[in-house]
Amino acid sequence: MAYRNGQRLPLDEKDGSGPSLRLSVNPRARRLSVRIDARAGEAVVIAPSERTLTQAVAFARTKGVWISERLAVQPKGRPLEPGQVISLRGRPVRLEATPGAGAARLVEEGTVIRSGGEGETYARRVENLLKREARQTLEERTAHHLRTLGQRPVKVSIADTKSRWGSCSPHNRTIRYSWRVIMAPPPVIDYLAAHEVAHLVHADHSPAYWSVVERLVGDHKPYRKWLRDYGGALHAVGR
């Protein structure tokens, strides 16, 4: 059977039950892999080409138990509402409502976010504040790593991607980040900026690429592990 990029399949091919697999072709991938998309509630099967998607699907189905277990323990969505505690740069921040107030703002030395509005309006204002904080920090860390590598400036954009933390387009010199990483500890945020900037030098994930990342942030493995272990919780915030 021929598979195509973006296609969705059931994990269990016999009866069509269980979670779905989403097929993804990434020419920069060096091997077949499976990752969990916590936001979509599905497993993403990654292959370097459409020709290798058949092997990738077979590989993913050998990991059926692992996929089901990982999806079962993904954090449930947590709406942004007064009384909730979220993280900002790895530190706990309490959300509070101030009737009649406008945009959300950080107060009490960055330990509280206060905002006016109710329901979706309140949540949107808090999210906008987090996006502003993300842009400020990620633009700063991106510029720092660009200077280290002697690279020209790039255009930075902030989005709410489904699963990827960032992406780099060397041909038009743009880097896109998920605002949700602003909830992670500063070293993890810095690693993400280094990860994307390094793609301006090497577009793949070759040993040469990882050596550039290591030059920028040292041992990157703990930061990658942090995102694997806790990234699902960040994607659950505001859902």
Side-chain angles (χ1 to χ4, degrees):
M1 177 179 179
Y3 297 113
R4 64 184 185 281
N5 185 37
Q7 183 178 358
R8 282 180 169 80
L9 304 168
L11 176 59
D12 190 327
E13 62 179 329
K14 293 180 181 179
D15 59 12
S17 65
S20 65
L21 303 175
R22 185 172 84 241
L23 309 189
S24 176
V25 173
N26 181 356
R28 296 191 306 190
R30 296 175 61 83
R31 57 185 175 81
L32 307 177
S33 63
V34 179
R35 62 176 172 78
I36 302 301
D37 183 341
R39 178 176 175 181
E42 61 188 6
V44 182
V45 183
I46 302 168
S49 67
E50 286 205 345
R51 182 174 52 83
T52 56
L53 280 175
T54 300
Q55 296 170 262
V57 170
F59 170 70
R61 283 176 168 155
T62 66
K63 293 184 168 290
V65 173
W66 177 83
I67 290 172
S68 296
E69 289 177 347
R70 288 294 303 275
L71 286 171
V73 299
Q74 291 303 313
K76 291 181 169 46
R78 295 181 295 149
L80 292 166
E81 57 188 10
Q84 183 183 347
V85 176
I86 63 172
S87 292
L88 179 61
R89 298 183 181 90
R91 298 178 57 194
V93 176
R94 189 175 71 258
L95 304 186
E96 294 184 354
T98 304
R105 57 195 178 93
L106 277 167
V107 296
E108 297 186 20
E109 299 183 346
T111 62
V112 173
I113 293 177
R114 288 193 185 131
S115 176
E118 297 180 357
E120 292 184 4
T121 299
Y122 179 90
R124 184 175 64 253
R125 290 176 179 178
V126 172
E127 183 174 315
N128 286 341
L129 180 145
L130 295 174
K131 287 178 178 178
R132 292 193 298 271
E133 294 292 319
R135 177 177 291 278
Q136 175 186 333
T137 297
L138 287 164
E139 284 183 344
E140 175 189 319
R141 299 318 301 162
T142 298
H144 170 81
H145 295 307
L146 289 170
R147 288 192 297 270
T148 299
L149 297 180
Q151 288 281 331
R152 293 183 288 110
V154 299
K155 179 182 178 182
V156 172
S157 64
I158 303 297
D160 191 4
T161 51
K162 288 185 176 181
S163 56
R164 297 180 68 179
W165 293 106
S167 61
C168 175
S169 299
H171 65 284
N172 59 9
R173 301 191 68 78
T174 62
I175 293 179
R176 188 181 189 215
Y177 296 109
S178 168
W179 66 264
R180 294 173 176 277
V181 78
I182 196 61
M183 294 183 277
V188 176
I189 301 172
D190 191 47
Y191 156 71
L192 177 62
H195 182 111
E196 300 307 333
V197 168
H199 278 310
L200 296 168
V201 181
H202 297 285
D204 53 19
H205 286 100
S206 63
Y209 162 81
W210 287 113
S211 70
V212 175
V213 177
E214 188 169 353
R215 174 186 169 191
L216 295 174
V217 296
D219 184 6
H220 47 79
K221 294 184 181 65
Y223 312 133
R224 295 167 63 190
K225 184 177 186 303
W226 194 97
L227 286 172
R228 287 196 302 271
D229 291 346
Y230 302 105
L234 303 192
H235 280 294
V237 173
R239 304 299 185 199

